[in-house]
Amino acid sequence: MDRKERKDLAVEGLRKSFKTGSETIEVLKDVAFTAKAGEKIAIVGKSGSGKSTLLGLMAGLDRPDSGSIQVGDWRLDQMDEAQKTLYRRKSLGIVFQQFHLMPDLTAVENVLLPMELAGRADSSTIQRAHELLKQVGLSQRMYHFPSQLSGGECQRVAIARALLPEPELILADEPTGNLDDQNAKLISDLIFQMLENSGARGRKSVLLLVTHNEQLAARCDRILRLQSGVLSGS
Ligand SMILES: Nc1ncnc2c1ncn2[C@@H]1O[C@H](COP(=O)(O)OP(=O)(O)OP(=O)(O)O)[C@@H](O)[C@H]1O
Ligand SMILES: [Mg+2]
């Protein structure tokens, strides 16, 4: 493919169904979209419409029935499990509704974990982990364990963790869903502010943000709506 024409992210003809007993539910029927580096895209849709299913496919955690997913130079639908693990370590940052921090690791250890697994935790990365935690307002909480942090603080750690590798793609599934209004606003401000500052050492990340929060969705460059297995919007 011509480099100039190539999109940084491209999904085509994506289908995913689940079999439970004798029943098959078609969740994603024909999902297609593209994105450029630095774009922030909100994905909205009713509960059960398949938003988390779509993010799971984008993360390579599940396999589509058919269709293609390209993230940078990765072709997820053509990769084996080992390659997908590499993709997640090198190119992906994920923020979930449940923060998914390791309980036995401190805040800074949690931020560093993906880079350590990828063998990339050199001294400048460790320094950047500390800087990111400062940027999310946790300079006094670096060595706290998740049980010693509030929900909003845990999510701030998760954001720093997602941003540290300067990933090509950031997936956020209801990142403010477990927070009160005040913390939700703080976390959304942080996500956007940190994304603006990201990419200093390389390309900017694409953000795919699943949310029920209309205000948060409106802050993205585009809103895509998942309805009846199809993604539409501008
Ligand atoms: N592993 C699975 N096996 C069977 N059905 C599944 C599986 N995962 C998801 N589903 C079904 O697929 C549909 C879409 O689920 P998904 O979690 O993607 O929805 P969602 O849009 O993220 O909803 P919510 O807003 O409530 O988080 C649901 O009807 C769900 O029951
Ligand atoms: Mg969901």
Side-chain angles (χ1 to χ4, degrees):
M1 221 181 299
D2 184 345
R3 175 78 215 178
K4 269 183 281 177
E5 283 179 20
R6 210 195 58 140
K7 295 286 180 190
D8 297 301
L9 186 153
V11 171
E12 270 174 46
L14 200 62
R15 299 179 74 90
K16 179 70 187 173
S17 55
F18 292 107
K19 265 205 175 80
T20 42
S22 58
E23 224 187 326
T24 302
I25 335 166
E26 288 195 306
V27 179
L28 305 178
K29 292 182 183 156
D30 183 13
V31 166
F33 67 102
T34 61
K36 294 195 292 270
E39 259 193 303
K40 303 182 250 329
I41 300 175
I43 296 175
V44 300
K46 281 196 296 205
S47 175
S49 59
K51 304 178 298 294
S52 296
T53 301
L54 175 60
L55 290 202
L57 295 174
M58 300 302 299
L61 293 169
D62 208 350
R63 191 173 277 284
D65 299 340
S66 58
S68 63
I69 303 174
Q70 174 230 319
V71 179
D73 291 326
W74 305 95
R75 269 295 300 269
L76 266 68
D77 50 292
Q78 296 173 354
M79 283 157 38
D80 61 22
E81 290 309 316
Q83 288 170 316
K84 283 196 256 188
T85 301
L86 208 59
Y87 156 73
R88 280 192 292 274
R89 285 181 187 167
K90 282 192 149 175
S91 297
L92 196 65
I94 309 184
V95 185
F96 298 96
Q97 179 173 352
Q98 323 282 351
F99 322 118
H100 291 300
L101 300 179
M102 303 298 279
D104 298 332
L105 298 182
T106 62
V108 72
E109 286 168 347
N110 265 287
V111 173
L112 277 165
L113 182 64
M115 294 295 270
E116 258 164 19
L117 291 172
R120 293 163 65 200
D122 56 14
S123 59
S124 72
T125 305
I126 294 169
Q127 197 184 344
R128 228 175 77 78
H130 284 88
E131 276 165 22
L132 281 171
L133 279 171
K134 270 187 207 150
Q135 283 177 38
V136 298
L138 295 180
S139 49
Q140 304 301 317
R141 301 284 187 278
M142 304 254 179
Y143 304 105
H144 280 54
F145 292 95
S147 62
Q148 301 168 324
L149 298 169
S150 71
E153 287 171 341
C154 284
Q155 196 59 307
R156 285 188 255 165
V157 174
I159 289 169
R161 178 182 58 186
L163 287 166
L164 182 63
E166 300 202 320
E168 287 175 81
L169 177 61
I170 296 177
L171 301 174
D173 198 348
E174 291 282 359
T176 62
N178 264 338
L179 304 174
D180 58 55
D181 286 352
Q182 197 185 348
N183 264 306
K185 168 90 172 68
L186 262 172
I187 289 296
S188 344
D189 287 349
L190 263 179
I191 291 176
F192 286 93
Q193 182 193 323
M194 306 260 309
L195 273 174
E196 281 312 309
N197 299 335
S198 76
R201 299 187 303 176
R203 301 173 73 77
K204 279 190 181 288
S205 311
V206 173
L207 171 70
L208 288 187
L209 170 72
V210 166
T211 184
H212 284 110
N213 182 325
E214 294 288 333
Q215 281 174 328
L216 185 51
R219 292 176 71 173
C220 291
D221 302 314
R222 286 192 280 151
I223 300 179
L224 299 178
R225 203 163 291 275
L226 194 51
Q227 202 172 16
S228 309
V230 177
L231 198 60
S232 59
S234 50

